[in-house]
């Protein structure tokens, strides 16, 4: 596997973390909606 | 053209367990989906065997209900979705000129969650009280009262959900960050576009499903009353939350199919895709609209009139971008130099039969009419036209289209055409009569029926067995193609366009180590 340039690696991690955070917030929001 | 320098990788089982290579993981997904297609298909044949005649012949009603529930869960989460993820893994890096997916280790994990999730789900059939039997939608109160099989199913769904979300993150991260220089978003192949939009849908709705089933679990075991009316909860809220996931899920199952067909039709019509940009915008519009139509699944639940009207009209609006797509595919073929190899045949069948499913969907969207159709075989006919002759036919078309690239061999066109005609005849025989059964009032999810429904049910069962067994031809063809056959060139289809056709066939283990430049 090719080693990607540092800026590309950072961009990938940033994208992945942001998306994971969105998914987690949506999960919590669904539960919150249930409690409310 | 940039290809491999070193193709070495672990051999045997370790290659598949530890692989972080997008092509290996794509193959794993596709093989898993094929196995699940046969597991879920066997369950469908149990259903159709029981329904061959009125009365109870072969299975107990409880087991029949387990079959309908498991068939849906396995086909949706085990066959169609993993098949599309397999295509995404193989094709997205090849189509955008990337060396691999952005997060290869996460990719391995996404796949290897699935066999465990489905072992857990299938193991419920061996529990003393049997598997889940309340339908794949898991509506309370049945699902709250269900046996231990329901708990296993909830955990299995959590695992599938994690796999899907991680897969979606990987697809988005790959497409946004790994495109070859010069490949702007509006130069991406349609398959990549449809998967990008699908991945956002997955990311938005799988957590909602996870939330819904988590609340079911706490209602069942931890004393909460989210959906339990006796404790002040609301069972209808489950339906709202479930279908907020469930309707976009329908588009998760069909948008990548649109992408595959959008690659195949221009190739065999030898013309560029008509209205590329409008296809992108239509896909995005369908995705947006999918979030505001969910309650059309529950018109009979007792909604305010304004709600019924809103969901009726919003649902009908989906016909606009879908119509754009159907007309664009037709316009692509118009005056093209068409040839009818197996991928094209399946794509044309997709176009015609999916449109029938779309039209029956419009009929179901009419709220007052839906009061008659709700929970009848008309609904079963509708969604099988969308998901079998829609999603599955596109998957099969895509497999034929890219098999030469994956295996390095051409498949047998004769066997492919046999597979096509038997599939089309079997499918229509199985599902077209179900429209009439539904309109005449036969309810879905029952093991017995009134005697006047016998003939159409017998036609349907014969068609289902024909369709099911003709898929064995496909397996034989795939095995034959993997083992040998006429050598495939880099670009086996004269009219094909795109980066994947610039690399050798079979595609080397590593491709695009140096990114290509797109003009």
């Amino acid at each position: 596997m090719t080693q990607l340039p540092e800026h590309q690696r950072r961009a990938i991690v940033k994208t992945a973390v942001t998306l994971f955070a969105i998914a987690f917030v949506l999960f919590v929001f669904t539960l919150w909606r249930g409690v409310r | 053209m940039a290809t491999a320098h070193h193709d070495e990788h672990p051999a045997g089982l370790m290659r598949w367990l530890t692989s972080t290579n997008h092509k290996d993981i794509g193959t794993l997904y596709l093989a898993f989906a094929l196995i699940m297609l046969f597991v879920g298909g066997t369950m469908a044949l149990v259903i159709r065997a029981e329904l061959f005649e009125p009365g109870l012949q072969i299975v107990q009603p409880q087991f029949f209900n387990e079959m309908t529930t498991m068939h849906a869960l396995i086909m949706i989460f085990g066959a169609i979705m993993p098949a599309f993820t397999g295509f995404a893994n193989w094709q997205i890096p090849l189509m955008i000129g990337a060396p691999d997916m952005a997060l290869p280790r996460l990719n391995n994990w996404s796949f290897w969650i699935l066999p465990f999730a489905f072992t857990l789900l299938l193991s419920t059939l061996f529990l003393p009280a049997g598997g889940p039997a309340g339908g794949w939608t898991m509506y309370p109160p049945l699902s709250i009262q269900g046996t231990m099989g329901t708990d296993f199913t909830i955990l299995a769904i959590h695992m599938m959900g994690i796999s899907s979300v991680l897969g979606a993150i990987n697809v988005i991260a790959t497409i946004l960050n790994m495109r070859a220089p010069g490949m702007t978003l509006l130069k991406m192949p349609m398959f990549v576009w449809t998967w990008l939009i699908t991945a956002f849908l997955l990311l938005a709705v799988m957590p909602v499903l996870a939330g819904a089933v988590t609340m079911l679990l706490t209602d069942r075991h931890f004393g909460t009353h989210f959906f339990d009316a006796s404790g002040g909860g609301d069972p209808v809220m489950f339906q709202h939350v479930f279908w907020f996931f469930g309707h976009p899920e329908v588009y998760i199952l069909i948008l990548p199919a649109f992408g595959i067909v959008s690659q195949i039709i221009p190739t065999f019509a030898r013309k560029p895709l008509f209205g590329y940009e409008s296809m992108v915008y239509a896909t995005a519009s369908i995705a947006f609209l999918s979030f505001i139509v969910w309650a059309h699944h529950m018109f009979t639940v007792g909604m305010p009139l304004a709600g019924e009207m809103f969901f009726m009209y919003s649902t009908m609006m989906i016909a606009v971008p879908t119509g754009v797509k159907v007309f664009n595919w037709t316009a692509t073929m118009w005056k093209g130099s068409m040839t009818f190899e197996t991928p094209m045949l399946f794509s044309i069948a997709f176009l015609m039969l999916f449109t029938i499913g779309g039209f029956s969907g419009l009929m179901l969207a009419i709220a007052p009419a839906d009061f008659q159709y709700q929970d009848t075989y008309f609904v079963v006919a509708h969604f099988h036209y969308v998901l079998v002759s829609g999603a599955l036919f596109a998957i099969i078309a895509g497999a034929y289209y890219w098999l030469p690239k994956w295996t390095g061999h051409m498949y047998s066109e004769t066997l492919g055409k046999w597979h096509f005609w038997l599939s089309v005849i079997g499918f229509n025989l199985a599902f077209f009569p179900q429209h009439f059964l539904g309109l005449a009032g036969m309810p879905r999810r029952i093991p017995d029926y009134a005697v006047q429904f016998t003939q159409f049910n017998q036609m349907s069962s014969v068609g289902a067995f024909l369709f099911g067994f003709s898929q064995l031809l496909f397996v034989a063809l795939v095995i034959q193609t993997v083992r040998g056959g006429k050598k495939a060139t880099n670009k086996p289809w004269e009219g094909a366009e795109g980066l994947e056709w610039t690399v050798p066939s079979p595609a080397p283990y590593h491709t695009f180590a140096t990114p290509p430049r797109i003009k």
Side-chain angles (χ1 to χ4, degrees), chain A residues 23-34, chain B residues 207 211:
Chain A
F24 185 73
V25 167
L26 285 167
F27 174 66
V28 173
F29 176 76
T30 307
L31 293 180
W32 172 80
R33 182 65 188 80

Side-chain angles (χ1 to χ4, degrees), chain B residues 33-34 37 75 79-80 83-84 87 253-254 257 346 350 384-399 427 467 471 474:
Chain B
L34 191 60
L37 182 75
M75 287 307 201
I80 303 291
F84 282 138
F87 278 100
L253 297 170
I254 202 66
F346 270 102
F350 164 94
H384 281 93
Y385 266 81
V386 174
L387 292 178
V388 180
S389 57
L392 184 61
F393 274 25
I395 288 167
I396 294 171
F427 167 80
F467 179 72
Q471 301 320 304
F474 179 61

Side-chain angles (χ1 to χ4, degrees), chain A residues 1-2 8 11 15 19 23 26-27 34, chain B residues 100 177 203-204 207-208 210-211 226 513:
Chain A
M1 170 72 192
T2 323
Q8 201 174 9
T15 313
L19 295 172
L26 285 167
F27 174 66
Chain B
D100 206 308
N177 298 300
L203 194 78
V208 177
F226 289 110

